[in-house]
Amino acid sequence: SILMNIINKGNLDLIEANEYAGRQFIDVVQLVKSRLNYMVIGVVRNGEVILNPGNDFVIQPGDSLLIIK
C-alpha cells in the first residue's frame, strides 16, 4: 500500500512542536510546509495520535507533529 511505502522509506516522522505551542493546527501546517517543506498530518499528545485534527486545534507544549517528509 502507499501508506506502508511511506513508512518503510522513512518518510513518516515526528518532530518536536514546542516552538509552535499556542498556535492553531492550520497555522502550524502552513508554517511547517513553508519552512521545512514537510506535510503535517497529525499531532501526538500524551502518547495519543490525533490524525488531521480540526483547524482550530491548538498545539500545546510537549506535543509532537506527525509529518511526511
Side-chain angles (χ1 to χ4, degrees):
S1 78
I2 293 172
L3 180 57
M4 289 308 295
N5 205 11
I6 290 169
I7 293 168
N8 290 336
K9 287 185 176 179
N11 294 339
L12 193 64
D13 205 356
L14 287 174
I15 59 174
E16 184 271 338
N18 283 340
E19 69 179 283
Y20 303 109
R23 293 182 180 266
Q24 292 184 326
F25 182 73
I26 188 66
D27 296 331
V28 174
V29 168
Q30 294 168 347
L31 281 169
V32 171
K33 179 68 177 169
S34 66
R35 291 178 180 173
L36 304 171
N37 200 29
Y38 295 161
M39 181 186 305
V40 180
I41 62 169
V43 175
V44 178
R45 178 176 290 163
N46 300 322
E48 178 187 355
V49 177
I50 306 163
L51 292 177
N52 195 29
N55 290 341
D56 58 351
F57 181 92
V58 176
I59 303 301
Q60 296 180 359
D63 286 352
S64 296
L65 304 176
L66 183 60
I67 54 107
I68 298 175
K69 294 180 183 178

